[in-house]
Amino acid sequence: MNKTLIVGIYEKTTNNLIVKVLKNANSKNLLQFAINHISSKCDVHTDSWKGYRDLKSVFTKHETVNHQDGYVSKTGVNTNQIESVWKHIRRTFKTHIKVAKHHIQLLWNCLWAI
């Protein structure tokens, strides 16, 4: 199966959302994406996927939630807002039989420009 990685950042206090298609799903690309869009002083919440481990080197306030244990960690960390975004993306793309990789970012930009 050929999958396309879509990464996103949701800023809770301003409701800003940044979404981008990444060509390679590796920790180096994820870290660079985060550095480009997040202040190093921010609290960063992710799930416990191993690709996010390098974020701790730049973001000292990086906390995780293990979704095998629940949707909210014992300390209150959650990723519910961005998970809601992914739910809407999946629902949108299910309406299309097939979307070419090079059109996904364009389609995404159009959907959120409305």
Side-chain angles (χ1 to χ4, degrees), residues 4-7 20-26 29-30 33 105:
T4 301
L5 176 68
I6 302 174
V7 295
K20 182 174 171 104
V21 173
L22 288 186
K23 292 182 182 182
N24 295 314
N26 61 40
N29 288 343
L30 288 169
F33 175 74
Q105 187 71 47

Side-chain angles (χ1 to χ4, degrees), residues 25-92:
N26 61 40
S27 58
K28 180 182 174 186
N29 288 343
L30 288 169
L31 179 61
Q32 191 58 53
F33 175 74
I35 289 170
N36 289 344
H37 297 287
I38 305 172
S39 166
S40 62
K41 298 173 186 169
C42 287
D43 293 347
V44 176
H45 297 173
T46 65
D47 62 25
S48 56
W49 182 56
K50 65 181 179 178
Y52 298 127
R53 286 184 196 150
D54 291 345
L55 294 177
K56 195 74 160 172
S57 66
V58 175
F59 304 99
T60 56
K61 296 180 183 178
H62 176 225
E63 297 183 68
T64 62
V65 58
N66 185 339
H67 287 153
Q68 291 180 346
D69 296 336
Y71 291 100
V72 180
S73 75
K74 292 177 182 172
T75 61
V77 172
N78 70 73
T79 57
N80 293 341
Q81 289 84 5
I82 197 72
E83 296 293 344
S84 176
V85 170
W86 302 141
K87 177 182 172 186
H88 291 293
I89 288 174
R90 284 189 291 275
R91 187 179 301 147
T92 298

Side-chain angles (χ1 to χ4, degrees), residues 91-110:
R91 187 179 301 147
T92 298
F93 285 114
K94 279 185 180 180
T95 64
H96 302 302
I97 296 170
K98 187 172 182 178
V99 178
K101 283 185 179 184
H102 61 277
H103 290 302
I104 290 176
Q105 187 71 47
L106 178 63
L107 178 59
W108 174 258
N109 292 343
C110 291

Side-chain angles (χ1 to χ4, degrees), residues 9-26:
I9 297 170
Y10 174 78
E11 205 288 317
K12 196 173 183 176
T13 57
T14 62
N15 286 329
N16 285 336
L17 177 66
I18 300 169
V19 175
K20 182 174 171 104
V21 173
L22 288 186
K23 292 182 182 182
N24 295 314
N26 61 40

